[in-house]
Amino acid sequence: MLMKIEKGTISSSQLLFLAAAFVQGAALVVAFAYVVTKHDVWIIIISGLAVTLPFLWGCVSLAKSFPGQNMVQIMESVYGTFLGKGLSILFISFPFQVISHNLRFIGDFFVIYMYPKTPLVVFLILFIAVCAWAVRSGIETIARIGLVTVAITIFIDVLTFFLLLGEMEATNFLPMFELSVGDFIQGTHIMFAIPYGELMIFLMIVPYVNKIKQAKSALLWGLTIGAATLLILVVRDIAALGSLANVLVAPSFEAVRLIDIAHVITRMELLVAIVLLITVFIKISVLYYASALGIAQIFGLRTYRPLVIPIAIFSVSFSMVIYDAAAEQMYVGANIWPVYSLLFYMLPVMTMLIAKFRRLPRAQEGVRP
Amino acid sequence: MIHFLKKIIQSRKMSKQVIDQGAASSSQALLSRQLAHNVERLMQVFGASNDIVLREFSFGHEGKMQGAVLYVEGLANKLLINESLIKPLMYDIHIFEGRLEVTTLEAVKSCMISLGGVEEATTLESVVDACLSGDAVLIIQGFEKALVLNTKGWEDRGVEEPKTESVVRGPREGFTENLRINTSLLRRKIKNPNLTLEPLKIGKKTKTDVCMMYLKGVVNPRLVEEIRRRLNRIDTDAIMESGYIEQFIEDAPHSIFPTVANSEKPDVVAAKILEGRAAIIVDGTPFVLTVPMLFIENFQSAEDYYSRPYFASLIRMLRFGCYGITILAPAIYVALTTFHQELIPTPLLFTLASSREGVPFPAMLEALVMLVAFEILREAGIRLPRPVGSAISIVGALIIGESAVAAGLIGAPMVIVVALTAVSSFVVPAQTDSESILRYIFLFLAGVMGGFGVAVGMLGLFIHLAGLRSFGAPYLSPLAPLSVHDQKDVFIRAPLWAMLTRPRAIGWRDPEREHFRLEPSPPDKGGKSSK
């Protein structure tokens, strides 16, 4: 049994807000799904949620049946040391890749919309530096920031929703359900694989919740709150932009640009950028923390802190070379990543089945870590 | 190399041992029976200092007994010594005529000395210590013990209205430099036997009196333990002010945010003690420390609780806003005018552009110059003698404000922004130092990276604050981690009858502050009292 690296604990309500902020971090990633499902995106936001809830429920059940162990430790108990460590490396490579994608995404966003002349790498380095600071401070600190980001995000989303009421056209939603079954499945799959399913990484954090019994409902509620925020955003954007939303890289940014109340309250898009920044910050910090902790556990280190800077350097370099342009990311996000990521989503499902099959955890009572 | 280091450490250890031995031998020096011998040794210790008063006299039946009184002039109350110590001994008719035989020290103590605090001392060092802290020492021929008499009485500043935290409504008294007066001010507020005082002496050379005060039953015992541990490990020469203590016990010595609060007002400190905090009072300064400190304490003023809740809540929110303005306003102005002109509404943009026309510097430099000028004026205003101070404000307002704009060196909007920043910084006085530093950091970030830089800086600030702790309490509590009960005293100040519990991060041992259902209401029309 590996020793406990993280000594801090978080409360279940902090877990809830962390999960909600994590999902809200995908506010702009929904753009991937616009390409496929056009103005019916709101349907797949709900259907994606419906698919993800049972998946997440299963994940947390797995964590609960191995109390005090995170995914890396669970896999080691289920598959044995060597296979377990191998699969753990596979599992930890997932948050690591997601960090790079998100980092690139936020960097591209700022370069395209606000700083056309600044090199991308400046944003990547500054952003990852803040995340690294948060990760070094530990899960308790990240969790404390979660609530504030959720509050700010919901406040700004609702505010812009009301300010945009004048620009909205209900007819933009018509014709409803203009979706082929294939598109619907693909869209749902995108929502599952990109914003929602990534919550799987909370398997690395759930053991540090002080009341493990409430962790399940906290995570599921967090997901639902996050999804509800996305729904508000999508409804706002489609209603305000119409079919224009389908072709833009960042529809919510463009939608909020339309706000013009008496020529005084205008150009609110800075708010969207701020919301994006803080929610993506939470998302990257959680993933970053999970990968640092996971790697430390795989290699039996006493602390994950020496890994923080190397991971930052790797993810900045990785995100620099991962795409040539933002449009490429849109394509990858819609068509390639959802299929590829199934490889990782398989892991908890497989682990759960094999744990059931081997009747694990067996005779674990009293040997809690 | 290592060998060399070892040697150094060893030699330091050795020298320390020698010093310790020296100190030990002098403190072990016991008093002798011979008065003359004792007096001689004491005078050796004090040397040529001429504020030491030694009065030798004989008393008792036919003046058979020899005694000496030793005190420091100015520290001890001379009148008290004359009236209550020397006079009874020398003139008391009973011993003078031999009717009362005084042979033991106890007899002297119980029959002859009309003073409140009397203790016995056996070593030379305790006698010297007592003298230096204002007590008088009575040594009598033939006894190995001396009597230490509490005659402390030196010139003090009286209880005055504090200069730093003035209030419109509320008590006007403030702490003074005298530890005893300060503890008595607190005792007068909290008349409860559980209000505990723990005395300490810190400072090898100054031997400053320090006193920890808390309310037993409300305070967390682990907090008291922790404070005691941190105070005891202070091993320094001198404690001049409570700031010395603060810097030795704070949780985050490298942070720009203070994690130990201070106040000059007894009502503030008493309220904090009642919430479950502990106070550390240091002799010689009116500033009393309280721990643990939360970030929101900076925004809570005593007056919030004395005035009615609605206006107090408005002011509370205003303070949070001012804190934001004072650290962010110049940065946001620079970010908007340099990077995000498109975010400014067009008419405003025209106005700004026309007033900045002809200004030869970039906005960041302009802001930097104005902020530094403001800091200079502020510092000059504090250090200058009062009458000259007004001259500074005239020079500052006229030359920097008016002429710089007229000469076209600085844009008028920048003057407005900096003025707003400056005024706002005085609304949250407890955070002045962190405000000033943050202002420059954000200005730099805005000048280099615009809005993105400011946002990243805010995130960094938030991470830093969320990671801080003060004596176990999360610094950002009750905001992060969230405590729903305590939201009654953050952005709004709920009515007193609604604030039922003590802050969760601090006083959770005895959470109930008051009975609920205390909301006042007029009696019903039917004559039935609603209570």
Side-chain angles (χ1 to χ4, degrees):
Chain A
M1 195 67 57
L2 289 162
M3 61 194 292
K4 213 168 177 178
I5 293 177
E6 172 65 57
K7 289 176 186 70
T9 56
I10 60 175
S11 71
S12 53
S13 64
Q14 282 176 332
L15 183 74
L16 188 154
F17 289 116
L18 215 49
F22 191 91
V23 176
Q24 286 170 350
L28 286 187
V29 183
V30 183
F32 300 154
Y34 276 111
V35 183
V36 180
T37 52
K38 310 277 188 282
H39 59 269
D40 282 325
V41 164
W42 58 275
I43 299 173
I44 61 156
I45 286 192
I46 298 168
S47 65
L49 178 66
V51 174
T52 316
L53 282 175
F55 170 74
L56 205 61
W57 188 82
C59 285
V60 189
S61 308
L62 178 67
K64 266 169 86 174
S65 58
F66 292 86
Q69 297 189 33
N70 59 32
M71 190 59 185
V72 170
Q73 292 162 317
I74 292 173
M75 289 214 276
E76 215 164 304
S77 339
V78 172
Y79 299 107
T81 312
F82 285 104
L83 190 56
K85 276 199 196 298
L87 288 174
S88 294
I89 291 175
L90 186 63
F91 182 77
I92 290 306
S93 74
F94 174 69
F96 180 71
Q97 292 174 54
V98 180
I99 294 173
S100 304
H101 288 284
N102 275 292
L103 202 56
R104 177 60 186 259
F105 193 80
I106 189 122
D108 272 341
F109 173 82
F110 277 99
V111 170
I112 291 171
Y113 283 99
M114 302 179 100
Y115 300 88
K117 286 179 187 161
T118 312
L120 175 69
V121 68
V122 175
F123 296 97
L124 303 185
I125 290 178
L126 254 180
F127 197 74
I128 203 78
V130 180
C131 297
W133 190 2
V135 172
R136 262 190 88 87
S137 314
I139 189 67
E140 284 188 331
T141 306
I142 302 174
R144 280 179 204 155
I145 303 170
L147 167 68
V148 182
T149 54
V150 171
I152 295 175
T153 308
I154 291 181
F155 173 73
I156 290 183
D157 285 352
V158 172
L159 178 78
T160 50
F161 188 90
F162 281 107
L163 291 180
L164 265 176
L165 275 178
E167 309 285 330
M168 287 185 185
E169 293 281 347
T171 52
N172 283 339
F173 288 100
L174 299 175
M176 273 197 193
F177 306 111
E178 199 196 26
L179 273 178
S180 69
V181 176
D183 286 348
F184 174 71
I185 290 175
Q186 192 189 352
T188 310
H189 185 193
I190 293 174
M191 287 314 287
F192 167 74
I194 293 177
Y196 297 156
E198 283 165 4
L199 278 177
M200 163 179 91
I201 211 61
F202 275 72
L203 278 175
M204 297 296 293
I205 292 170
V206 167
Y208 308 119
V209 177
N210 54 10
K211 286 175 195 152
I212 191 83
K213 280 188 182 151
Q214 296 166 9
K216 189 182 283 180
S217 64
L219 258 189
L220 297 184
W221 271 112
L223 171 62
T224 314
I225 291 173
T229 324
L230 290 188
L231 194 63
I232 295 176
L233 277 185
V234 165
V235 168
R236 181 193 73 192
D237 297 347
I238 297 174
L241 289 174
S243 54
L244 198 59
N246 309 337
V247 292
L248 295 168
V249 177
S252 28
F253 194 73
E254 302 283 352
V256 173
R257 266 192 179 169
L258 298 177
I259 294 178
D260 184 356
I261 295 182
H263 298 297
V264 177
I265 304 174
T266 57
R267 314 300 302 253
M268 306 278 279
E269 62 260 36
L270 191 68
L271 292 181
V272 174
I274 290 173
V275 164
L276 187 72
L277 192 79
I278 57 178
T279 50
V280 172
F281 160 76
I282 289 286
K283 184 165 180 171
I284 292 188
S285 296
V286 170
L287 293 163
Y288 192 168
Y289 176 81
S291 31
L293 187 69
I295 295 172
Q297 256 161 354
I298 291 170
F299 294 105
L301 306 184
R302 245 175 302 151
T303 164
Y304 66 86
R305 290 201 165 78
L307 297 170
V308 171
I309 302 294
I311 291 179
I313 296 171
F314 274 118
S315 32
V316 167
S317 333
F318 190 36
S319 57
M320 286 292 290
V321 297
I322 200 164
Y323 307 115
D324 283 334
E328 203 175 312
Q329 183 166 25
M330 294 278 278
Y331 178 77
V332 172
N335 298 307
I336 297 174
W337 178 262
V339 182
Y340 168 64
S341 63
L342 282 182
L343 176 66
F344 306 102
Y345 290 123
M346 222 175 58
L347 281 174
V349 179
M350 197 169 83
T351 309
M352 194 157 46
L353 290 179
I354 292 179
K356 274 263 155 60
F357 185 68
R358 292 187 56 196
R359 291 162 201 246
L360 288 172
R362 131 184 78 186
Q364 289 265 329
E365 291 88 29
V367 205
R368 290 193 172 186
Chain B
M1 182 69 193
I2 293 170
H3 189 70
F4 176 69
L5 278 175
K6 256 186 192 166
K7 248 185 172 173
I8 291 183
I9 293 168
Q10 261 174 6
S11 70
R12 285 190 62 178
K13 262 187 194 161
M14 296 252 293
S15 63
K16 203 177 173 194
Q17 271 172 359
V18 171
I19 292 170
D20 286 350
Q21 275 169 6
S25 66
S26 77
S27 72
Q28 294 303 314
L30 296 170
L31 293 170
S32 81
R33 277 174 195 281
Q34 293 301 318
L35 174 66
H37 184 51
N38 285 336
V39 167
E40 190 189 331
R41 276 158 74 198
L42 279 170
M43 291 326 281
Q44 237 170 36
V45 171
F46 287 119
S49 308
N50 71 346
D51 58 342
I52 311 289
V53 176
L54 177 73
R55 169 78 162 90
E56 287 176 277
F57 56 95
S58 35
F59 62 101
H61 186 50
E62 294 169 353
K64 266 193 281 186
M65 299 181 85
Q66 300 288 318
V69 174
L70 188 74
Y71 62 91
V72 178
E73 199 169 0
L75 289 185
N77 186 339
K78 213 191 291 180
L79 205 67
L80 197 67
I81 294 172
N82 291 344
E83 288 297 316
S84 313
L85 179 64
I86 302 179
K87 209 168 174 184
L89 284 172
M90 292 177 76
Y91 291 116
D92 192 286
I93 197 77
H94 298 291
I95 40 172
F96 193 70
E97 296 190 342
R99 266 181 268 160
L100 182 73
E101 198 66 25
V102 181
T103 49
T104 62
L105 205 62
E106 270 68 43
V108 176
K109 194 167 145 186
S110 54
C111 306
M112 302 305 305
I113 296 165
S114 51
L115 274 169
V118 181
E119 281 168 24
E120 288 177 10
T122 52
T123 64
L124 199 65
E125 203 196 28
S126 57
V127 167
V128 171
D129 272 357
C131 265
L132 290 177
S133 55
D135 290 337
V137 178
L138 173 66
I139 311 171
I140 301 171
Q141 166 73 25
F143 296 113
E144 276 177 328
K145 289 177 183 168
L147 290 181
V148 174
L149 313 151
N150 187 357
T151 56
K152 292 188 182 80
W154 50 79
E155 286 308 309
D156 256 321
R157 193 169 62 96
V159 175
E160 286 171 19
E161 184 172 356
K163 292 254 158 42
T164 52
E165 296 158 81
S166 30
V167 287
V168 177
R169 177 172 182 176
R172 305 228 183 276
E173 61 187 5
F175 286 120
T176 70
E177 279 76 10
N178 186 331
L179 181 88
R180 270 293 150 255
I181 294 182
N182 292 350
T183 55
S184 73
L185 285 172
L186 284 174
R187 274 248 188 253
R188 263 173 47 206
K189 298 264 178 216
I190 309 172
K191 298 179 192 70
N192 190 322
N194 283 334
L195 184 66
T196 314
L197 262 101
E198 277 192 34
L200 274 162
K201 269 195 199 302
I202 303 179
K204 277 181 299 201
K205 298 257 191 291
T206 58
K207 300 211 169 58
T208 309
D209 286 305
V210 176
C211 173
M212 180 164 55
M213 234 170 153
Y214 52 85
L215 197 57
K216 220 191 291 169
V218 173
V219 75
N220 185 346
R222 279 168 58 201
L223 171 70
V224 176
E225 187 106 335
E226 179 61 23
I227 299 173
R228 208 179 287 143
R229 190 185 69 76
R230 293 194 196 179
L231 285 178
N232 281 329
R233 64 171 278 280
I234 301 178
D235 183 22
T236 180
D237 262 5
I239 299 294
M240 291 285 107
E241 211 261 352
S242 50
Y244 277 48
I245 303 270
E246 179 181 343
Q247 289 168 52
F248 281 113
I249 64 170
E250 64 190 342
D251 284 67
H254 300 298
S255 171
I256 53 171
F257 288 93
T259 48
V260 176
N262 63 64
S263 176
E264 231 186 318
K265 283 169 66 63
D267 52 327
V268 173
V269 174
K272 287 185 176 172
I273 289 178
L274 285 168
E275 278 189 343
R277 290 185 179 86
I280 300 165
I281 310 169
V282 180
D283 194 32
T285 175
F287 288 92
V288 172
L289 306 177
T290 51
V291 286
M293 181 200 191
L294 306 182
F295 186 60
I296 51 158
E297 275 175 45
N298 301 311
F299 303 95
Q300 297 168 335
S301 143
E303 222 172 327
D304 291 353
Y305 303 92
Y306 305 145
S307 47
R308 300 185 61 248
Y310 300 99
F311 184 65
S313 302
L314 184 71
I315 296 296
R316 185 68 71 78
M317 284 185 266
L318 187 78
R319 283 194 205 113
F320 280 97
C322 284
Y323 188 69
I325 289 175
T326 193
I327 63 176
L328 287 178
I332 287 177
Y333 177 75
V334 168
L336 284 179
T337 51
T338 322
F339 288 90
H340 313 289
Q341 293 94 345
E342 77 276 6
L343 294 183
I344 308 172
T346 322
L348 180 61
L349 184 62
F350 283 135
T351 320
L352 285 182
S354 66
S355 62
R356 267 188 57 75
E357 205 180 4
V359 174
F361 310 114
M364 183 183 158
L365 194 65
E366 207 185 340
L368 197 65
V369 168
M370 287 303 287
L371 285 177
V372 170
F374 159 63
E375 296 290 342
I376 293 172
L377 284 176
R378 192 171 63 98
E379 190 62 18
I382 296 171
R383 306 289 161 220
L384 274 180
R386 275 294 128 77
V388 198
S390 59
I392 284 294
S393 56
I394 292 168
V395 168
L398 282 185
I399 294 182
I400 309 225
E402 195 70 38
S403 318
V405 175
L409 292 175
I410 305 284
M414 182 57 82
V415 177
I416 299 172
V417 168
V418 171
L420 191 65
T421 308
V423 174
S424 300
S425 76
F426 295 117
V427 176
V428 190
Q431 283 288 353
T432 314
D433 41 357
S434 75
E435 279 165 3
S436 310
I437 299 166
L438 284 175
R439 205 179 290 147
Y440 293 112
I441 294 175
F442 279 113
L443 183 63
F444 174 76
L445 285 170
V448 176
M449 289 298 296
F452 180 79
V454 175
V456 165
M458 282 300 282
L459 271 180
L461 174 66
F462 208 81
I463 297 168
H464 178 65
L465 284 175
L468 282 183
R469 272 174 184 277
S470 169
F471 287 81
Y475 199 48
L476 275 191
S477 146
L479 286 171
L482 182 76
S483 160
V484 179
H485 283 285
D486 298 341
Q487 296 304 315
K488 290 172 182 169
D489 197 13
V490 183
F491 293 109
I492 58 158
R493 201 280 281 169
L496 291 178
W497 41 261
M499 281 198 260
L500 303 173
T501 54
R502 295 179 210 285
R504 185 169 193 135
I506 298 162
W508 207 239
R509 244 180 87 76
D510 177 16
E512 189 181 293
R513 204 188 317 235
E514 65 210 1
H515 201 267
F516 81 112
R517 263 194 266 161
L518 282 178
E519 180 179 0
S521 56
D524 284 347
K525 282 273 163 63
K528 215 175 81 182
S529 168
S530 65
K531 193 163 174 198

